[in-house]
Amino acid sequence: MVVRNGKQYASKIELICSDGSVVPDPVSSYVGVVRNATGAVCSPLGNGCSTMPVQYDVLEGREADTQLGGAGRPGDNSKNTPRCPQGTVMLGLSPRRYSATLGSNSVLTGILNNITAVCGVPKTTGVCAPKSPPPPKSPPPRPPPPNPITNQPFQLKCPCGYAKSLTVGLLTRNGAEYASRLTLTCSDGSVVHDPPVAVGTVRNVNTPVCNASSLIQTGPLAGGCTAMTIQYNRVQGREADTKISNAGRKGSYVKSTIKCPAGRIMLGLTPRRYSGATGAESVLNGILNGIQAICGVPSTTGVCTPKRPPPPPVKRPPPPARTPLNTAVRKECTCGYVSSLEVGFINVGGKTYASLMNVHCSSGEVLKDTTTTLPTTWQSTPACVGAGKVATGPNKGACTFFTVRYEKLLNQEADVGIVTAGRAGTASYMPRCTNGVLIGLAFRRYSGGPGFNSLTGIMNTVVAVCGPPPTKGCRSPPPPANKARGWGDPHFEGFDGSRFEFHGTPGRFYEVIGSKSPAVSLTTRVEPSTRYPQNTFMREYKLTINSTLVDVILLPPLPANPAVWRISATVNTRSVAPGTTKLPGGITVSLTPGGIGKFGTVKVDAGFIFVSMIQQWRPDRNELADFMDVNIVLRSRLGQPVTGLLAPSYNKAVAKAGPVSGASGPVLSAGLNVPEA
């Protein structure tokens, strides 16, 4: 089934025969198959089928099949074809598939229609298995030679847009990590998963596909990558990848051979993975190598999400009067000293110049520069390096001077580098502090009207703001975290801010958090997703508070709405109606059903704990998710022992907070007015 104009239509057929053989569709996946649906040819099946029901919609004045046999969605029209003559049954099918030329915008591209039957009497000889008694068992085959290397390639390609980032699964072999798995995230938000393979436990690391030097900054291909770096070691005389882009460890060898020709960007990758026979001891088993680029121009038709019409133009006020030089911009820390900078660069005449500056203070305060909206590329840098940094004393780590690099542009000084961010330039100057340390910056920025000159928005004359580190804006340290959450397939963020993943076994319940004092337990059941059957997602939660059991579950779709999963809740097996329900013991349960553009939620407030379970609305797919996320807020500490997946993070958060006294009950956090989603 492929999606065209927000609806699903039949696109490919795989035929399963009565003898167990499978006849695949010979056409490749260019039509963008998004969901496989299995159904009988006819019902009841009996000893073969003489006809098969087909349903279809009229699309662009043509028949477009929506349901074949028992698979697909109901259409507006039905036809009981194909049919077989009396005495024969269906041995196969002869479909047609609309195919437009490359770049055509026809929504019919790849959709089936005009299916006819291949009829006859089933064969019992030839390719069919013989009916005679099976021959005596032959001796088992010899085991394969040790460490065979099959090194088969597989393809990861964006169906729409370009390759934006990677999740690299790192596998430990002989005490060192090697790249083993890849997941590709595309610019349109879609994710292309590595075919599952049993290589052992991997550690996932996210990374952009390429560094800034290989990233296209402007033009229709802006954001795309033209090259990617791989590092590797030699293991048993073979290449074994250790680092892909910025994920992994440095190897002894570097290759930058993954490049795209001019005018093309990376749409995906074709890696290879060493695979030894079952039980092989080869250290190379499961390790990536031989990655090649899939280059081209991103697709904008077919499987891409239909683009919404652009919003009407906004009337903007006329630009301000031209002034060759604007007034000084001043950024000063209210607590602590300047610790690092983010410099925003603009491109003028093929070169980059400093335009914006965000100031980071040692207290965590960030002073953002938002005085211009020019297209900007950001680079981070320490506020100073080397001799400019205070080495000892109460201001250790603060700066007393730093370097600014510039060059002449239209006979004006134009800054091209601040400390380590930017390029070298032809000259430099050093703003210094003669009294105190660097607690802020002041600078000027050229600002002309449209077309004024190429200096518009470029920085110059950076000045140090110096003095003792101020304390007027300092605050006491934040209270320990009292929130945790779980989402996706599944990911968790603990009470101490740590993150981890837990996938579990489909169909089983796992405790998320639990305690005997007060008596509380939150468990979740994981199931495969209909879209990603290789991953597990949280589809049911059971929250027990003393003798009250709140069961929150996603019910499967009804036939009338085959893509809509429904959130529901029961309290001690009794259904909960939409709205807020008050229970004994001061517990409240609030149910909000999901819908078009609206999340489905169940919120349970028991005073000492608040739990919200959320079914997200996915605007990119125009559907409600078939899994739920969870947010947990604790308003007081739990008695030990604390159990469940989040118990280690809870214990670390409590240990960091230390004992609390002088209150009616020990609280985990002083900040009780926490937003509760």
Side-chain angles (χ1 to χ4, degrees), residues 502-567:
F502 179 83
H503 303 293
T505 302
R508 287 189 56 184
F509 277 91
Y510 297 90
E511 187 174 50
V512 179
I513 190 74
S515 171
K516 292 183 179 179
S517 177
V520 61
S521 177
L522 175 66
T523 62
T524 183
R525 175 171 59 87
V526 297
E527 294 288 355
S529 167
T530 54
R531 185 176 293 273
Y532 301 114
Q534 70 273 27
N535 294 344
T536 56
F537 294 79
M538 296 180 284
R539 195 167 284 166
E540 182 177 5
Y541 297 95
K542 290 187 178 183
L543 176 60
T544 304
I545 304 170
N546 295 320
S547 60
T548 300
L549 171 61
V550 182
D551 192 351
V552 181
I553 189 171
L554 285 183
L555 299 176
L558 297 172
N561 295 292
V564 179
W565 289 74
R566 299 158 292 139
I567 192 170

Side-chain angles (χ1 to χ4, degrees), residues 36 62 69 80 211 235 240 271 317 321 347 371 489 521 523 651:
N36 291 324
R62 299 176 182 271
N80 282 322
N211 296 322
V235 180
N347 189 288
T371 49
D489 59 338
S521 177
T523 62
N651 292 331

